[in-house]
């Protein structure tokens, strides 16, 4: 199947509020930038459908889905909505599209599971909301499209699925859903001692769960070690029928909500290495709160997924997209470096590989070596 990008205009102008980290444009920037690059002809784009309430209850509780739709309609959350469902909080505020926007991201992942029945590659940059829980919103995530996408793949007959998550924050919602599933592999790299404060090295779960917390300022060379000794060997040994990669852009150095020091090269290299390992590939967005780093990284993701060459210098049309972005209310937006406008690729951000990273990688590599391979 021709690689597809699933997107929607609902993200353009939609915001969680003027001071929320998700006030910045993300999916709309990817659509504009990839079109300016000539990478997104009409046959490679499909508008994301909005998931219906019945489809969302494939994992979310009916009471929660009903509450989410009602709070959007009334633009008011009662105390029960806050206490039970996490709606109307600082992290998960009431805003005009608070049901329709996440339902669109979920609809794209549900559709992707159907379209990937016979193989292919799909990018859903509006997906990756990996903190959502069955009965409540969590961590800016009102729904969990990653879980819904995996369940959609299962309904399409896809059995063994590897879920890899390289967001700065741990994949707590997806782990909650699948930690005990023998036909799931879960691998997460994330910043240690960062919200939601789960995913410690010893949190192995019952199933095939591999959590690798990275120390503050983890660099490209340290991530490359994690990729080559943990992520790739685990996926190769598991031999999945499909891979779902959550590619949160908050793991790069320029993001305001984490303290990792990766470049977007780390994400692109991980994506490129994983792509040949399964006949079906679903690439999701995730975190990312700097509009330039998110737009550049996820557009580069699409280039890798669809076989495009990333030029050293952007054409004027693409440069204009990036120069048109604003980042009000954050110091990183006051004096953006020139390369945020003129290139997609960050400088390589390598450095020493610290002993604590080597030890954690070795611990997980030993576990991977004992993991049973794919049954014959």
């Amino acid at each position: 199947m021709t690689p597809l990008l699933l997107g929607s205009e609902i993200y353009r102008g939609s915001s969680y509020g003027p001071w929320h980290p998700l006030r910045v444009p993300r999916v709309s920037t990817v659509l504009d930038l990839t079109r300016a690059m000539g990478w997104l002809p009409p046959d490679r784009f499909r508008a994301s459908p909005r998931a219906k309430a019945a489809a969302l209850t494939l994992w979310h509780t009916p009471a929660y889905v009903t509450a989410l739709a009602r709070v959007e309609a009334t633009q008011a959350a009662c105390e029960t909505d806050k206490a039970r469902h996490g709606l109307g909080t600082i992290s998960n505020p009431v805003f005009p599209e608070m049901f329709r926007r996440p339902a669109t991201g979920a609809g794209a992942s549900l559709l992707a599971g159907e379209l990937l029945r016979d193989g292919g590659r799909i990018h859903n940059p509006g997906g990756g909301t990996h903190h959502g829980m069955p009965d409540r919103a969590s961590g800016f995530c009102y729904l969990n499209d990653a879980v819904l996408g995996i369940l959609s793949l299962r309904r399409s007959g896809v059995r063994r699925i590897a879920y890899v998550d390289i967001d700065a924050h741990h994949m707590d919602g997806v782990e909650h859903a699948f930690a005990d599933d023998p036909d799931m592999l879960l691998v997460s790299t994330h910043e240690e001692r960062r919200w939601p404060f789960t995913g410690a090295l010893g949190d192995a779960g019952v199933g095939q769960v591999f959590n690798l917390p990275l120390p503050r300022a983890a660099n490209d060379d340290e991530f490359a070690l994690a990729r080559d000794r943990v992520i790739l060997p685990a996926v190769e040994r598991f031999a999945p029928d499909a891979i779902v990669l959550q590619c949160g852009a908050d793991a790069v150095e320029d993001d305001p909500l984490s303290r990792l020091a990766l470049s977007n090269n780390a994400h692109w290299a991980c994506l490129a290495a994983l792509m040949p390992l399964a006949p079906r590939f679903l690439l999701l967005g995730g975190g990312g709160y700097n509009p330039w780093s998110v737009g550049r990284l996820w557009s580069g993701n699409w280039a890798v997924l669809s076989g495009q060459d990333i030029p050293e210098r952007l054409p004027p049309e693409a440069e204009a997209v990036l120069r048109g972005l604003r980042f009000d209310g954050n110091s990183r937006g006051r004096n953006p470096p020139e390369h945020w406008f003129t290139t997609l690729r960050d400088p390589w951000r390598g450095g020493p590989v610290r002993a604590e990273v080597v030890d954690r990688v070795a611990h997980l590599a030993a576990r991977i070596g004992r993991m049973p391979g794919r049954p014959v």
Side-chain angles (χ1 to χ4, degrees):
M1 185 180 73
T2 300
L4 291 177
L5 191 152
L6 306 182
S8 171
E9 287 299 307
I10 196 172
Y11 301 101
R12 193 181 301 277
S14 172
S15 169
Y16 281 41
W19 302 109
H20 194 281
L22 276 176
R23 66 188 178 276
V24 300
R26 306 186 325 155
V27 177
S28 57
T29 301
V30 173
L31 296 179
D32 293 344
L33 196 51
T34 53
R35 285 174 174 145
M37 296 296 295
W39 292 345
L40 195 60
D43 66 324
R44 292 199 170 190
F45 175 78
R46 184 172 294 194
S48 305
R50 186 186 308 159
K52 298 185 183 301
L56 298 174
T57 59
L58 188 61
W59 193 62
H60 293 283
T61 66
Y64 174 62
V65 174
T66 298
L68 181 59
R70 172 177 47 77
V71 174
E72 181 190 86
T74 62
Q75 288 295 285
C78 66
E79 288 306 314
T80 300
D81 296 325
K82 295 178 183 179
R84 175 177 171 181
H85 298 304
L87 300 173
T89 65
I90 293 175
S91 293
N92 313 302
V94 176
F95 69 97
E97 306 86 9
M98 62 182 292
F99 175 78
R100 287 169 290 160
R101 174 171 163 159
T104 301
S109 289
L110 287 162
L111 175 61
E114 298 174 9
L115 294 175
L116 290 171
R117 179 188 304 272
D118 298 318
R121 299 171 182 170
I122 292 178
H123 185 18
N124 174 19
T129 52
H130 57 174
H131 298 306
M133 292 294 178
D135 198 47
R136 63 184 293 111
S138 179
F140 314 163
C141 302
Y142 296 83
L143 300 168
N144 198 315
D145 75 280
V147 171
L148 292 167
I150 290 167
L151 293 175
S152 179
L153 283 165
R154 285 274 173 80
R155 295 178 87 174
S156 294
V158 181
R159 181 169 143 250
R160 290 171 68 83
I161 301 170
Y163 176 83
V164 179
D165 194 309
I166 56 176
D167 194 285
H169 302 84
H170 178 245
M171 52 167 186
D172 57 337
V174 182
E175 187 171 301
H176 176 78
F178 298 115
D180 298 331
D181 187 331
D183 286 326
M184 283 293 303
L185 170 71
L186 303 179
V187 183
S188 174
T189 61
H190 47 272
E191 185 179 350
E192 67 178 356
R193 292 192 290 275
R194 180 158 296 281
W195 190 94
F197 308 110
T198 53
L201 186 67
D203 289 351
V206 176
Q208 296 160 120
V209 182
F210 296 91
N211 285 312
L212 177 55
L214 297 172
R216 183 172 179 157
N219 60 56
D220 285 351
D221 289 311
E222 290 175 319
F223 186 83
L225 180 68
R227 179 195 69 216
D228 294 341
R229 295 284 312 281
V230 175
I231 296 174
L232 296 180
V235 174
E236 289 172 342
R237 192 174 184 89
F238 185 71
D241 301 311
I243 294 172
V244 179
L245 173 62
Q246 199 270 21
C247 209
D250 50 4
V252 300
E253 185 177 54
D254 304 313
D255 195 88
L257 290 195
S258 79
R259 295 297 177 266
L260 299 177
L262 304 181
S263 74
N264 55 25
N265 297 282
H267 289 63
W268 297 343
C270 187
L271 168 60
L274 284 169
M275 279 166 43
L277 301 184
R280 302 165 186 85
F281 204 102
L282 174 55
L283 174 62
L284 304 175
Y289 310 98
N290 174 328
W292 290 285
S293 60
V294 178
R296 292 164 64 243
L297 193 157
W298 289 354
S299 296
N301 275 349
W302 173 242
V304 174
L305 196 75
S306 60
Q308 312 288 335
D309 293 326
I310 299 175
E312 291 186 12
R313 173 86 188 208
L314 294 177
E317 298 85 355
E319 185 176 329
V321 172
L322 293 171
R323 290 192 182 277
L325 299 177
R326 297 180 58 183
F327 196 13
D328 297 331
N330 193 285
S331 60
R332 294 173 190 256
R334 291 175 191 160
N335 296 292
E338 185 68 9
H339 78 271
W340 285 6
F341 305 136
T342 59
T343 67
L344 287 189
R345 190 180 299 276
D346 293 330
W348 180 262
R349 294 171 181 152
V353 179
R354 288 165 284 183
E356 59 193 302
V357 176
V358 173
D359 290 344
R360 294 173 194 179
V361 165
H363 173 81
L364 292 182
R367 279 191 55 216
I368 291 166
R370 299 189 297 268
M371 186 175 76
R374 180 170 186 140
V376 177

